[in-house]
Amino acid sequence: SQRRNLTIFSRENYTCHRTDSAEDIDFFYERLYLPMVQNRYKDYGAVVSKTSLKQLFEKRGLLMLVKDGSGEVVSGGLNYARHNVLDALVNGVRDGDTSLVRKGALTAVHYFVIEHAFQMGVRCFDVGVGVPLLNDGVYQHNREYAAE
């Protein structure tokens, strides 16, 4: 449940910052996004190219990196701003480490992005499309946030 996720997240002393650095988008792609997709989906995952993500980032991208209590980046998310909408594009955890997911690192990304969107005055946060099957993890995750 989200209550459990938020409890775990608050225990980890996560902090977050927005970055516009080209080096950070490279780090995000190589250490957070790509390893998570490869670990989670193996041969079935559709990987967005580094070039495509960089283009989105340079145009209107919002890259948020989450650090743990020791200051090490553990997760991040790339979002795209358009008018009064913030689109959640991709996210990831360091080296595809599933224990970081269990420690709330992805919950932290969502929390901080939603908080930032609210501060920006965004009217809608688009979490993307998920298959509406009860056993689909993305669908279940989005339901926990009451996403439609």
Side-chain angles (χ1 to χ4, degrees):
S1 76
Q2 277 312 102
R3 181 173 298 198
R4 180 184 57 79
N5 288 343
L6 289 171
T7 300
I8 293 168
F9 149 72
S10 62
R11 243 184 294 164
E12 295 296 324
N13 296 319
Y14 291 128
T15 59
C16 185
H17 74 280
R18 178 183 176 181
T19 177
D20 296 320
S21 163
E23 293 82 26
D24 286 338
I25 192 69
D26 288 338
F27 175 85
F28 170 77
Y29 188 86
E30 294 163 6
R31 295 289 308 278
L32 304 177
Y33 167 69
L34 190 59
M36 189 173 103
V37 171
Q38 291 172 333
N39 187 35
R40 179 176 276 180
Y41 300 108
K42 308 288 185 242
D43 296 331
Y44 301 104
V47 176
V48 178
S49 75
K50 188 175 187 178
T51 302
S52 294
L53 285 186
K54 278 186 152 185
Q55 288 171 343
L56 289 167
F57 173 70
E58 290 165 359
K59 189 172 180 184
R60 282 198 188 118
L62 171 66
L63 179 61
M64 306 289 279
L65 296 177
V66 174
K67 295 181 179 182
D68 63 12
S70 68
E72 190 169 356
V73 174
V74 293
S75 62
L78 180 62
N79 306 277
Y80 185 78
R82 56 181 173 93
H83 308 291
N84 285 328
V85 177
L86 188 64
D87 295 308
L89 298 179
V90 293
N91 56 38
V93 294
R94 188 183 62 236
D95 301 325
D97 185 350
T98 56
S99 71
L100 291 171
V101 175
R102 289 189 296 278
K103 289 182 180 180
L106 280 182
T107 299
V109 171
H110 300 303
Y111 175 86
F112 288 121
V113 169
I114 291 168
E115 180 180 66
H116 188 75
F118 179 76
Q119 292 168 354
M120 289 173 50
V122 168
R123 298 183 54 108
C124 179
F125 182 59
D126 189 342
V127 295
V129 179
V131 180
L133 299 173
L134 293 177
N135 65 348
D136 180 73
V138 173
Y139 177 75
Q140 287 295 326
H141 182 76
N142 289 345
R143 273 188 62 200
E144 288 178 358
Y145 284 96
E148 297 179 357

